[in-house]
Amino acid sequence: MACKKSKSIDQTPNTSPSLLELSYAEGFKVTNYKTYNILTISNPWPKAEKTYRYALISKSEASKMTLNKEDFDGIIITPIQNIVVTSTTHIPALELLGVEQSLVGFPGTDYISSEKTRTRIDDGDIRELGNTEGINTEALLELRPNIVVTFGVDGTNKSLEIIQKSGIPVIYNGDWVEKSPLAKAEWIKFFGALYNKVKEAEAIFTQIETDYLEAKKLASAAKSKPTVLCGAMYKDVWYLPNGTSPEAQFLKDANTNYLWSDTTESGSLSLSFEAVFEKAKNAQLWLSPSYYTSYKDLEESSAHYTQFDAFKNKSIYTFSNTTGKTGGVLYYELGTSRPDLVLKDMIKICHPDLLPDYKSTFFNPLK
């Protein structure tokens, strides 16, 4: 949007701004004024030092008032008409809000599992843009999307800098940094603000939250807590969720005994095989054994895996076998937006008697 040079935005006519109500998410906020909104991203990646501010304004209001570009990291006309997103976790939010037709480009379309969005890819409505680390900027600039919604680990992606300098706002979505499953899911309200669909986003999230909390309550009635092991080795290091992670929160809410639930380190735990084996040799269940899709793959990778009771008893469950037609893992796409389904999957595995007729969405027995 072309903006005339002006003084700083005048907020005096917009008395008593209100905040978008958020119950769990901490990485963004939306401040609603009378004629525009301000979207603030405060935690786009771990230990981020910069806060990003974007003005969200309708086309009609933008024609009446002038915003100072220097006050914002982007001025965005809402509702969004055309968008590029760079994480599969963003796809479900667009579909839940019924705005998936606005997606015009994506880096790495083979990773997308959704049948609805795959149809649009096959029809040529969504352009392949390479990969997130090195987006095909020439192709993206030809699309001229209203915004690019991305994620970052440090904010130093050169491709995104080129896009931003061209006048296309780049917004960092920090859902992945949030500390709980429901906090991640609440970022649907972020997309609601961009599409003027805040009420719809609130209703969708409220239903997901309700279903999640009902499942958690159901699990609390279980008579026993199975012991659980997670993860697998990569180059002789076994990576597991720490006890304060969203993954561990799922296990807690599913009423299990996750063997590392008392850890508080930031990031994943990095342990030796010996340390894991000593603690989890007799674990009743083994969830998410990295990218392995079969017992054969596990054994060929390391014969040590066969020493665990969960291996011997065929009590290992994975989401790696649940994929879209081009190989994208559904859990990595839909799991963030639908924690209620993830939790129900875990309850089905850990307390099958509580959900006798439930069919898993992501997790299935290892082949």
Side-chain angles (χ1 to χ4, degrees), residues 318-343:
T318 182
F319 52 71
S320 294
N321 287 323
T322 308
T323 62
K325 69 178 183 180
T326 52
V329 177
L330 183 62
Y331 179 85
Y332 293 138
E333 179 174 315
L334 186 59
T336 295
S337 291
R338 294 300 304 274
D340 54 322
L341 299 179
V342 177
L343 182 58

Side-chain angles (χ1 to χ4, degrees), residues 6-170:
S6 72
K7 294 181 181 179
S8 243
I9 189 166
D10 181 10
Q11 297 180 356
T12 51
N14 301 283
T15 55
S16 302
S18 63
L19 283 174
L20 173 66
E21 187 176 330
L22 296 170
S23 301
Y24 305 91
E26 298 177 348
F28 80 101
K29 69 177 181 179
V30 179
T31 309
N32 303 306
Y33 292 93
K34 185 179 178 182
T35 54
Y36 60 91
N37 300 326
I38 295 177
L39 168 64
T40 305
I41 309 293
S42 57
N43 200 25
W45 51 80
K47 299 179 182 178
E49 296 180 356
K50 176 175 170 57
T51 294
Y52 294 84
R53 295 173 78 247
Y54 305 88
L56 310 181
I57 188 168
S58 69
K59 193 172 184 178
S60 61
E61 289 296 339
S63 66
K64 301 174 191 174
M65 61 190 297
T66 303
L67 305 180
N68 185 359
K69 283 184 178 180
E70 294 176 4
D71 289 342
F72 305 99
D73 293 285
I75 296 172
I76 299 161
I77 300 295
T78 59
I80 297 299
Q81 301 299 317
N82 296 300
I83 192 172
V84 165
V85 301
T86 66
S87 171
T88 57
T89 62
H90 305 153
I91 304 293
L94 299 180
E95 293 188 354
L96 286 166
L97 289 169
V99 294
E100 68 278 356
Q101 73 284 349
S102 65
L103 181 64
V104 294
F106 187 87
T109 53
D110 281 353
Y111 289 108
I112 296 176
S113 300
S114 162
E115 291 183 11
K116 186 184 289 188
T117 297
R118 287 231 59 85
T119 298
R120 296 193 65 242
I121 293 168
D122 295 341
D123 290 345
D125 296 326
I126 298 173
R127 189 162 178 177
E128 171 60 62
L129 297 175
N131 61 70
T132 305
E133 290 74 28
I135 291 177
N136 183 336
T137 52
E138 187 176 332
L140 190 146
L141 294 176
E142 286 178 10
L143 292 173
R144 296 305 301 178
N146 301 134
I147 62 168
V148 174
V149 173
T150 188
F151 63 95
V153 292
D154 56 13
T156 58
N157 187 313
K158 290 184 178 179
S159 299
L160 297 175
E161 288 177 16
I162 293 170
I163 295 162
Q164 217 155 7
K165 285 178 181 176
S166 77
I168 299 171
V170 174

